[in-house]
mmCIF file of all heavy atoms in Angstrom:
data_model
loop_
_atom_site.group_PDB
_atom_site.id
_atom_site.type_symbol
_atom_site.label_atom_id
_atom_site.label_comp_id
_atom_site.label_asym_id
_atom_site.label_seq_id
_atom_site.Cartn_x
_atom_site.Cartn_y
_atom_site.Cartn_z
ATOM 1 N N GLY A 886 -77.396 -44.407 53.580
ATOM 2 C CA GLY A 886 -77.809 -45.683 52.997
ATOM 3 C C GLY A 886 -76.774 -46.359 52.127
ATOM 4 O O GLY A 886 -76.486 -47.539 52.286
ATOM 5 N N ALA A 887 -76.193 -45.617 51.187
ATOM 6 C CA ALA A 887 -75.204 -46.212 50.281
ATOM 7 C C ALA A 887 -73.927 -46.610 51.008
ATOM 8 O O ALA A 887 -73.180 -47.462 50.541
ATOM 9 C CB ALA A 887 -74.883 -45.231 49.153
ATOM 10 N N SER A 888 -73.669 -46.024 52.162
ATOM 11 C CA SER A 888 -72.447 -46.302 52.915
ATOM 12 C C SER A 888 -72.535 -47.551 53.776
ATOM 13 O O SER A 888 -71.525 -48.060 54.242
ATOM 14 C CB SER A 888 -72.118 -45.118 53.828
ATOM 15 O OG SER A 888 -71.856 -43.976 53.071
ATOM 16 N N GLU A 889 -73.735 -48.052 53.999
ATOM 17 C CA GLU A 889 -73.899 -49.219 54.877
ATOM 18 C C GLU A 889 -73.127 -50.423 54.364
ATOM 19 O O GLU A 889 -72.531 -51.157 55.144
ATOM 20 C CB GLU A 889 -75.377 -49.550 55.042
ATOM 21 C CG GLU A 889 -76.102 -48.576 55.935
ATOM 22 C CD GLU A 889 -77.546 -48.963 56.164
ATOM 23 O OE1 GLU A 889 -77.876 -50.165 56.083
ATOM 24 O OE2 GLU A 889 -78.341 -48.050 56.413
ATOM 25 N N LYS A 890 -73.120 -50.619 53.056
ATOM 26 C CA LYS A 890 -72.382 -51.750 52.476
ATOM 27 C C LYS A 890 -70.886 -51.623 52.792
ATOM 28 O O LYS A 890 -70.237 -52.592 53.159
ATOM 29 C CB LYS A 890 -72.612 -51.816 50.970
ATOM 30 C CG LYS A 890 -71.948 -52.993 50.309
ATOM 31 C CD LYS A 890 -72.264 -53.042 48.829
ATOM 32 C CE LYS A 890 -71.574 -54.216 48.187
ATOM 33 N NZ LYS A 890 -71.804 -54.271 46.740
ATOM 34 N N GLN A 891 -70.353 -50.415 52.641
ATOM 35 C CA GLN A 891 -68.936 -50.180 52.948
ATOM 36 C C GLN A 891 -68.662 -50.433 54.424
ATOM 37 O O GLN A 891 -67.694 -51.084 54.787
ATOM 38 C CB GLN A 891 -68.550 -48.740 52.605
ATOM 39 C CG GLN A 891 -68.672 -48.386 51.152
ATOM 40 C CD GLN A 891 -67.657 -49.098 50.288
ATOM 41 O OE1 GLN A 891 -66.510 -49.267 50.662
ATOM 42 N NE2 GLN A 891 -68.084 -49.529 49.127
ATOM 43 N N LEU A 892 -69.543 -49.896 55.272
ATOM 44 C CA LEU A 892 -69.343 -50.018 56.711
ATOM 45 C C LEU A 892 -69.469 -51.461 57.179
ATOM 46 O O LEU A 892 -68.782 -51.887 58.096
ATOM 47 C CB LEU A 892 -70.330 -49.135 57.463
ATOM 48 C CG LEU A 892 -70.134 -49.089 58.974
ATOM 49 C CD1 LEU A 892 -68.753 -48.535 59.320
ATOM 50 C CD2 LEU A 892 -71.210 -48.256 59.627
ATOM 51 N N ASN A 893 -70.337 -52.241 56.544
ATOM 52 C CA ASN A 893 -70.522 -53.636 56.946
ATOM 53 C C ASN A 893 -69.271 -54.481 56.737
ATOM 54 O O ASN A 893 -69.106 -55.520 57.379
ATOM 55 C CB ASN A 893 -71.705 -54.255 56.201
ATOM 56 C CG ASN A 893 -73.035 -53.715 56.677
ATOM 57 O OD1 ASN A 893 -73.159 -53.215 57.789
ATOM 58 N ND2 ASN A 893 -74.036 -53.792 55.819
ATOM 59 N N LEU A 894 -68.380 -54.058 55.880
ATOM 60 C CA LEU A 894 -67.144 -54.798 55.630
ATOM 61 C C LEU A 894 -66.080 -54.541 56.694
ATOM 62 O O LEU A 894 -65.227 -55.381 56.948
ATOM 63 C CB LEU A 894 -66.590 -54.432 54.249
ATOM 64 C CG LEU A 894 -67.482 -54.780 53.062
ATOM 65 C CD1 LEU A 894 -66.938 -54.153 51.791
ATOM 66 C CD2 LEU A 894 -67.612 -56.288 52.915
ATOM 67 N N VAL A 895 -66.135 -53.371 57.314
ATOM 68 C CA VAL A 895 -65.081 -52.945 58.245
ATOM 69 C C VAL A 895 -64.938 -53.856 59.470
ATOM 70 O O VAL A 895 -63.821 -54.278 59.791
ATOM 71 C CB VAL A 895 -65.274 -51.469 58.653
ATOM 72 C CG1 VAL A 895 -64.301 -51.061 59.745
ATOM 73 C CG2 VAL A 895 -65.122 -50.570 57.430
ATOM 74 N N PRO A 896 -66.029 -54.196 60.175
ATOM 75 C CA PRO A 896 -65.858 -55.035 61.382
ATOM 76 C C PRO A 896 -65.216 -56.394 61.089
ATOM 77 O O PRO A 896 -64.382 -56.855 61.863
ATOM 78 C CB PRO A 896 -67.288 -55.217 61.895
ATOM 79 C CG PRO A 896 -68.047 -54.077 61.338
ATOM 80 C CD PRO A 896 -67.411 -53.773 60.015
ATOM 81 N N GLY A 897 -65.563 -56.999 59.975
ATOM 82 C CA GLY A 897 -64.954 -58.282 59.618
ATOM 83 C C GLY A 897 -63.473 -58.157 59.337
ATOM 84 O O GLY A 897 -62.675 -59.016 59.721
ATOM 85 N N LEU A 898 -63.104 -57.078 58.669
ATOM 86 C CA LEU A 898 -61.690 -56.866 58.356
ATOM 87 C C LEU A 898 -60.871 -56.581 59.605
ATOM 88 O O LEU A 898 -59.733 -57.026 59.725
ATOM 89 C CB LEU A 898 -61.539 -55.710 57.357
ATOM 90 C CG LEU A 898 -62.061 -55.994 55.951
ATOM 91 C CD1 LEU A 898 -62.177 -54.704 55.157
ATOM 92 C CD2 LEU A 898 -61.158 -56.981 55.235
ATOM 93 N N LEU A 899 -61.451 -55.824 60.541
ATOM 94 C CA LEU A 899 -60.731 -55.477 61.766
ATOM 95 C C LEU A 899 -60.997 -56.452 62.909
ATOM 96 O O LEU A 899 -60.419 -56.319 63.991
ATOM 97 C CB LEU A 899 -61.121 -54.060 62.216
ATOM 98 C CG LEU A 899 -60.751 -52.930 61.266
ATOM 99 C CD1 LEU A 899 -61.230 -51.594 61.814
ATOM 100 C CD2 LEU A 899 -59.251 -52.898 61.013
ATOM 101 N N GLU A 900 -61.885 -57.405 62.662
ATOM 102 C CA GLU A 900 -62.250 -58.423 63.647
ATOM 103 C C GLU A 900 -62.766 -57.795 64.935
ATOM 104 O O GLU A 900 -62.310 -58.102 66.036
ATOM 105 C CB GLU A 900 -61.077 -59.367 63.903
ATOM 106 C CG GLU A 900 -60.647 -60.115 62.645
ATOM 107 C CD GLU A 900 -59.456 -61.020 62.845
ATOM 108 O OE1 GLU A 900 -59.084 -61.303 64.001
ATOM 109 O OE2 GLU A 900 -58.888 -61.456 61.821
ATOM 110 N N VAL A 901 -63.728 -56.866 64.770
ATOM 111 C CA VAL A 901 -64.378 -56.206 65.901
ATOM 112 C C VAL A 901 -65.889 -56.308 65.739
ATOM 113 O O VAL A 901 -66.396 -56.637 64.665
ATOM 114 C CB VAL A 901 -63.956 -54.722 66.028
ATOM 115 C CG1 VAL A 901 -62.471 -54.597 66.315
ATOM 116 C CG2 VAL A 901 -64.320 -53.934 64.786
ATOM 117 N N ASP A 902 -66.617 -55.981 66.793
ATOM 118 C CA ASP A 902 -68.070 -56.033 66.785
ATOM 119 C C ASP A 902 -68.638 -54.916 65.901
ATOM 120 O O ASP A 902 -68.221 -53.760 66.015
ATOM 121 C CB ASP A 902 -68.583 -55.887 68.226
ATOM 122 C CG ASP A 902 -70.094 -55.908 68.300
ATOM 123 O OD1 ASP A 902 -70.680 -56.946 67.945
ATOM 124 O OD2 ASP A 902 -70.671 -54.874 68.693
ATOM 125 N N SER A 903 -69.597 -55.247 65.049
ATOM 126 C CA SER A 903 -70.154 -54.262 64.122
ATOM 127 C C SER A 903 -70.899 -53.147 64.847
ATOM 128 O O SER A 903 -70.833 -51.984 64.440
ATOM 129 C CB SER A 903 -71.062 -54.921 63.097
ATOM 130 O OG SER A 903 -72.138 -55.580 63.737
ATOM 131 N N ASN A 904 -71.606 -53.471 65.928
ATOM 132 C CA ASN A 904 -72.296 -52.432 66.694
ATOM 133 C C ASN A 904 -71.311 -51.458 67.326
ATOM 134 O O ASN A 904 -71.587 -50.261 67.421
ATOM 135 C CB ASN A 904 -73.188 -53.050 67.777
ATOM 136 C CG ASN A 904 -74.358 -53.789 67.179
ATOM 137 O OD1 ASN A 904 -74.857 -53.439 66.118
ATOM 138 N ND2 ASN A 904 -74.798 -54.829 67.854
ATOM 139 N N ALA A 905 -70.170 -51.960 67.748
ATOM 140 C CA ALA A 905 -69.147 -51.100 68.350
ATOM 141 C C ALA A 905 -68.602 -50.108 67.330
ATOM 142 O O ALA A 905 -68.321 -48.950 67.667
ATOM 143 C CB ALA A 905 -68.016 -51.946 68.930
ATOM 144 N N VAL A 906 -68.468 -50.533 66.082
ATOM 145 C CA VAL A 906 -67.969 -49.634 65.037
ATOM 146 C C VAL A 906 -68.982 -48.521 64.785
ATOM 147 O O VAL A 906 -68.621 -47.339 64.723
ATOM 148 C CB VAL A 906 -67.665 -50.404 63.731
ATOM 149 C CG1 VAL A 906 -67.317 -49.445 62.602
ATOM 150 C CG2 VAL A 906 -66.537 -51.398 63.937
ATOM 151 N N VAL A 907 -70.257 -48.879 64.658
ATOM 152 C CA VAL A 907 -71.294 -47.869 64.428
ATOM 153 C C VAL A 907 -71.357 -46.901 65.598
ATOM 154 O O VAL A 907 -71.420 -45.679 65.415
ATOM 155 C CB VAL A 907 -72.668 -48.536 64.184
ATOM 156 C CG1 VAL A 907 -73.776 -47.491 64.140
ATOM 157 C CG2 VAL A 907 -72.644 -49.340 62.897
ATOM 158 N N THR A 908 -71.316 -47.428 66.813
ATOM 159 C CA THR A 908 -71.350 -46.573 68.006
ATOM 160 C C THR A 908 -70.142 -45.653 68.045
ATOM 161 O O THR A 908 -70.264 -44.455 68.345
ATOM 162 C CB THR A 908 -71.412 -47.427 69.282
ATOM 163 O OG1 THR A 908 -72.594 -48.228 69.235
ATOM 164 C CG2 THR A 908 -71.439 -46.572 70.525
ATOM 165 N N ALA A 909 -68.966 -46.173 67.737
ATOM 166 C CA ALA A 909 -67.752 -45.355 67.754
ATOM 167 C C ALA A 909 -67.814 -44.230 66.725
ATOM 168 O O ALA A 909 -67.275 -43.152 66.955
ATOM 169 C CB ALA A 909 -66.530 -46.227 67.491
ATOM 170 N N LEU A 910 -68.501 -44.466 65.625
ATOM 171 C CA LEU A 910 -68.587 -43.449 64.579
ATOM 172 C C LEU A 910 -69.688 -42.423 64.824
ATOM 173 O O LEU A 910 -69.625 -41.319 64.304
ATOM 174 C CB LEU A 910 -68.815 -44.122 63.219
ATOM 175 C CG LEU A 910 -67.648 -44.926 62.673
ATOM 176 C CD1 LEU A 910 -68.065 -45.690 61.427
ATOM 177 C CD2 LEU A 910 -66.456 -44.039 62.387
ATOM 178 N N THR A 911 -70.712 -42.778 65.601
ATOM 179 C CA THR A 911 -71.872 -41.891 65.738
ATOM 180 C C THR A 911 -72.060 -41.308 67.139
ATOM 181 O O THR A 911 -72.871 -40.410 67.314
ATOM 182 C CB THR A 911 -73.164 -42.623 65.338
ATOM 183 O OG1 THR A 911 -73.338 -43.772 66.179
ATOM 184 C CG2 THR A 911 -73.124 -43.041 63.875
ATOM 185 N N GLU A 912 -71.336 -41.831 68.132
ATOM 186 C CA GLU A 912 -71.522 -41.359 69.502
ATOM 187 C C GLU A 912 -70.178 -41.163 70.188
ATOM 188 O O GLU A 912 -69.155 -41.656 69.728
ATOM 189 C CB GLU A 912 -72.334 -42.383 70.313
ATOM 190 C CG GLU A 912 -73.711 -42.646 69.777
ATOM 191 C CD GLU A 912 -74.449 -43.731 70.544
ATOM 192 O OE1 GLU A 912 -73.958 -44.180 71.596
ATOM 193 O OE2 GLU A 912 -75.523 -44.132 70.083
ATOM 194 N N ARG A 913 -70.224 -40.456 71.311
ATOM 195 C CA ARG A 913 -69.031 -40.312 72.139
ATOM 196 C C ARG A 913 -69.426 -40.514 73.595
ATOM 197 O O ARG A 913 -70.587 -40.336 73.967
ATOM 198 C CB ARG A 913 -68.382 -38.957 71.930
ATOM 199 C CG ARG A 913 -69.213 -37.791 72.408
ATOM 200 C CD ARG A 913 -68.473 -36.476 72.183
ATOM 201 N NE ARG A 913 -69.254 -35.367 72.659
ATOM 202 C CZ ARG A 913 -69.872 -34.492 71.898
ATOM 203 N NH1 ARG A 913 -69.786 -34.607 70.592
ATOM 204 N NH2 ARG A 913 -70.575 -33.512 72.417
#
């Protein structure tokens, strides 16, 4: 829960899709 705020910033900084970042971190 506390990490969601941190993670929400990453896609904007890297200019990638936010769902893709979550998927890349949680699935293979």
Side-chain angles (χ1 to χ4, degrees):
S888 297
E889 286 184 27
K890 183 177 179 182
Q891 297 292 321
L892 185 61
N893 289 337
L894 298 170
V895 173
L898 291 166
L899 296 178
E900 299 178 14
V901 297
D902 179 63
S903 60
N904 292 329
V906 173
V907 172
T908 300
L910 291 172
T911 59
E912 299 176 8
R913 66 179 181 253

